[in-house]
Amino acid sequence: MPLKLNKINLLILGKPNSGKSTLFNFLCKNELSPTGDEYGLTKKNYSSEFEFDNYIFVINDTPGLRRKSKISDKDEEARNKKTLSILRKVDVVLLLIDSIENLTRQDFRLLDNAIHKKKIIFTVFTKFDLVDDKKNYRKNTLNYLNNNFSNHNEINVEFISVHSRLNINKLLKLIIEKTNLLPIRIPKKDIKKFTNKLLKENRFPKQKGVSIKSKYVVQTDLAFPSFKIFLNTNKKVSQNYVNFFTKEFRDYFNLIGVPLNLTFMRSKNPFQIK
Ligand SMILES: Nc1nc2c(ncn2[C@@H]2O[C@H](COP(=O)(O)OP(=O)(O)OP(=O)(O)O)[C@@H](O)[C@H]2O)c(=O)[nH]1
Ligand SMILES: [Mg+2]
């Protein structure tokens, strides 16, 4: 059984006007952070707490992040730095995207940054009340992410509206669910079953014509999904191989949308492990 965390630290990030402070105020049931149609209303970080389903959520609202090229003054630069420093300290990052705007390269960069820092990440499309064909919008957005963002398995995606109270509780429940996955312990026998399945199916991508096999996998941290994968090669594995293995591992153990630490170990004497 995973350990139950009772405090979850959240950070809200996103472009100006994406609805960060509206969500923050709604969740904390106060009007601490200024909201409105003017871009860049929030000029500092706000932190507050609220309770949901026996959990205490500590939530941080931040000033809107703009592209580096658009930043003109030192104050904004300092605010951005501060925001990214909070990122290091939280468990969960909510990247807010206005549903009526497109995903941009800056959004992908922020997602990559949060992935690199091993956070639980939610890409949250806001103002969903303004979308007419919600079903199609959802489908197209998920397809777009699958096709254009190679790390899509590392993030969760949700569509909310604070004005219509749409999917907010669902979002909070999902945050709890994913946070509870983190202190994970996968029994050795299940890891063995997984490696045997991979070996049997033998779909490993070839590297210079050679099929690299993962012979065994060891969990190295019980508080965080960290694993060492021992390979039958003394060569560095390709990104293609890493992606293949990571996807198989996530799918098998149902670890979609949570950070994962996989270290691929080369074998000094690859011929010893058959
Ligand atoms: N229709 C609709 N509008 C929303 C929703 N949430 C926020 N808005 C509006 O979007 C505008 C921007 O909201 P804010 O919460 O101030 O956005 P922000 O991301 O905090 O903006 P900055 O602080 O400038 O970065 C406001 O006019 C809100 O009323 C929503 O669920 N539906
Ligand atoms: Mg704001």
Side-chain angles (χ1 to χ4, degrees), residues 17 19-22 33-36 40-43 46 61-64:
N17 210 44
K20 299 177 294 299
S21 305
T22 306
S33 187
T35 62
L41 258 184
T42 308
K43 294 270 189 262
Y46 292 88
D61 182 28
T62 60

Side-chain angles (χ1 to χ4, degrees), residues 46-62:
Y46 292 88
S47 184
S48 190
E49 291 189 0
F50 65 94
E51 267 187 55
F52 180 83
D53 262 10
N54 295 324
Y55 283 81
I56 299 166
F57 284 77
V58 181
I59 184 162
N60 296 280
D61 182 28
T62 60

